[in-house]
Amino acid sequence: MIPRTLHSSSTLSWQEELKKLITCPKTLYEALDLAPDSLPKAWQAHERFRVRVTPSYLKRIRPNTPNDPLLQQILPSPHELTEHVEFVSDPLAESLHNPVKGLIHKYQGRVLFITAGQCAINCRYCFRREFDYSANSPNRAEWSQALAYIQADSSIKEVILSGGDPLTLSDNQLQWLIQKIADIPHITRLRLHTRIPIVLPSRITPELVNLLTSSHLKCIVVMHSNHAQELDNLTHCAFDMLKQQGITLLNQAVLLAGINDSESALVDLSEKLFNQGVLPYYLHVMDKVRGTKHFDLPESQAVALHKGIQAQLPGFLVPKLVREIPGQPYKTPLF
């Protein structure tokens, strides 16, 4: 069992915090003392992709600081309203690899299970911001179709729980699903892609950690942090709780203009992740989803940044710089 003392107390449970999400641009502007002149355009961008922010993440954003790197990740921008021909609704062509509801099968030996249709926060650069969750957020009966697909293909060794964010599910839902996955003989690994330990660390409870490690499956949690400012004592406690039960902790970041597009920001992120027990894994060149061109960087700049951090960090702290190209059998290294 996990000692509860590892989990920093909070005035709100994770369920209560989810009920208090900031889901209105006006509330966000008022909470962070932002000048209201851009609010009308923010409302328009919000109508295309809704604001969604946890109170705990909001506390890490500096008030009255429009260029704050955390704010830029969650604030609707007028730039999202400009169309660019190369920025599309399904940049990874996931609809071509969706054999049954809730399942994406692109790569050999592993499948991605869409377990939830929502996240605790909505990141403005999200490559699934236009994903059809209404057709891919199955209930337990429909999950059974996905499980049957996995059962029928013995080449699949790993199931990746994604979404949305799988940790927005209740413990009961997760326990049921993980047990069903563990009952499939050829599955050996369970991977979770989640931003929850970063944006809602109170969700990482002793009960959750115990259920993640309750089967024979080797468990890997891949976090998503883009900036060192996202990491604090609460995230450290959440990571400790996961790591003490033998869960492998990795991080994937997205390279974003105006947020982490400097060597110092990327070095600081890798160093702080490692200090909190997480290994840098991937640094993604941004997927070209509609409404996100203002976050994009030229590939040559991405490669130059990667070379710069490689010169400053030991190899185990340098994430792989990759781009995901539709139809390729793996993520494409850029350096």
Side-chain angles (χ1 to χ4, degrees):
M1 295 293 291
I2 303 292
R4 288 184 176 271
T5 52
L6 280 178
H7 191 234
S8 296
S9 60
S10 173
T11 55
L12 296 176
S13 70
W14 70 271
Q15 296 97 331
E16 290 169 332
E17 188 169 354
L18 281 180
K19 291 177 182 177
K20 295 182 179 292
L21 291 178
I22 293 88
T23 57
C24 167
K26 186 172 184 290
T27 305
L28 188 61
Y29 270 66
E30 291 173 348
L32 294 171
D33 192 24
L34 300 173
D37 53 301
S38 62
L39 183 55
K41 291 289 187 181
W43 269 106
Q44 292 181 47
H46 163 77
E47 289 300 321
R48 293 192 178 188
F49 186 51
R50 297 282 176 164
V51 168
R52 194 174 172 92
V53 189
T54 60
S56 58
Y57 193 78
L58 191 72
K59 289 178 182 176
R60 287 170 252 169
I61 300 174
R62 293 167 295 177
N64 195 24
T65 310
N67 65 347
D68 183 276
L70 276 58
L71 175 64
Q72 291 300 310
Q73 294 181 61
I74 54 92
L75 182 70
S77 166
H79 297 297
E80 297 176 38
L81 305 174
T82 304
E83 297 287 340
H84 299 274
V85 65
E86 72 273 29
F87 286 74
V88 297
S89 60
D90 184 14
L92 303 184
E94 290 188 320
S95 60
L96 302 179
H97 305 278
N98 191 195
V100 297
K101 284 186 176 182
L103 203 69
I104 294 173
H105 192 182
K106 289 191 292 187
Y107 299 136
Q108 175 69 24
R110 54 207 184 274
V111 292
L112 190 143
F113 212 128
I114 300 290
T115 54
Q118 68 285 325
C119 293
I121 74 169
N122 281 345
C123 302
R124 306 312 299 180
Y125 54 86
C126 179
F127 72 93
R128 289 202 185 113
R129 55 184 282 164
E130 296 192 24
F131 186 79
D132 188 3
Y133 285 110
S134 63
N136 284 281
S137 296
N139 54 35
R140 284 191 184 186
E142 291 172 328
W143 276 351
S144 296
Q145 298 174 27
L147 292 164
Y149 177 95
I150 298 167
Q151 174 84 48
D153 188 345
S154 61
S155 72
I156 299 170
K157 307 299 181 187
E158 180 176 8
V159 174
I160 303 165
L161 303 187
S162 185
D165 198 306
L167 293 186
T168 59
L169 297 179
S170 70
D171 285 0
N172 285 341
Q173 289 173 301
L174 279 170
Q175 189 165 31
W176 183 90
L177 182 57
I178 290 170
Q179 188 54 59
K180 291 295 183 182
I181 293 168
D183 288 341
I184 300 174
H186 49 269
I187 301 302
T188 60
R189 294 187 302 275
L190 177 73
R191 194 193 323 173
L192 285 84
H193 285 182
T194 177
R195 195 131 154 79
I196 287 284
I198 311 295
V199 304
L200 187 67
S202 59
R203 175 65 181 102
I204 311 303
T205 63
E207 294 78 12
L208 173 66
V209 177
N210 285 327
L211 77 87
L212 291 178
T213 55
S214 61
S215 74
H216 68 278
L217 300 174
K218 176 63 179 174
C219 186
I220 306 103
V221 173
V222 182
M223 253 76 69
H224 175 191
S225 177
N226 296 316
H227 196 278
Q229 188 179 319
E230 294 180 324
L231 306 174
D232 61 9
N233 289 336
L234 291 179
T235 62
H236 199 172
C237 288
F239 300 158
D240 274 349
M241 197 179 304
L242 293 163
K243 196 164 186 178
Q244 285 207 5
Q245 285 297 96
I247 295 174
T248 300
L249 304 183
L250 304 172
N251 185 72
Q252 54 184 348
V254 180
L255 189 56
L256 300 164
I259 293 171
N260 58 10
D261 55 340
S262 69
E263 291 179 21
S264 60
L266 294 171
V267 167
D268 288 349
L269 175 60
S270 283
E271 293 279 11
K272 197 161 185 181
L273 284 166
F274 186 71
N275 288 342
Q276 295 199 3
V278 182
L279 273 178
Y281 171 42
Y282 277 142
L283 177 61
H284 291 267
V285 173
M286 199 191 71
D287 301 312
K288 295 181 184 294
V289 67
R290 189 179 359 249
T292 65
K293 190 180 190 310
H294 56 295
F295 290 124
D296 196 28
L297 288 170
E299 191 169 298
S300 58
Q301 186 178 348
V303 171
L305 283 169
H306 194 260
K307 288 181 178 179
I309 65 171
Q310 194 169 41
Q312 298 179 56
L313 291 168
F316 62 88
L317 290 188
V318 180
K320 297 175 185 176
L321 179 66
V322 296
R323 180 187 293 283
E324 192 161 355
I325 300 175
Q328 292 298 305
Y330 48 79
K331 291 177 175 63
T332 302
L334 297 184
F335 176 69

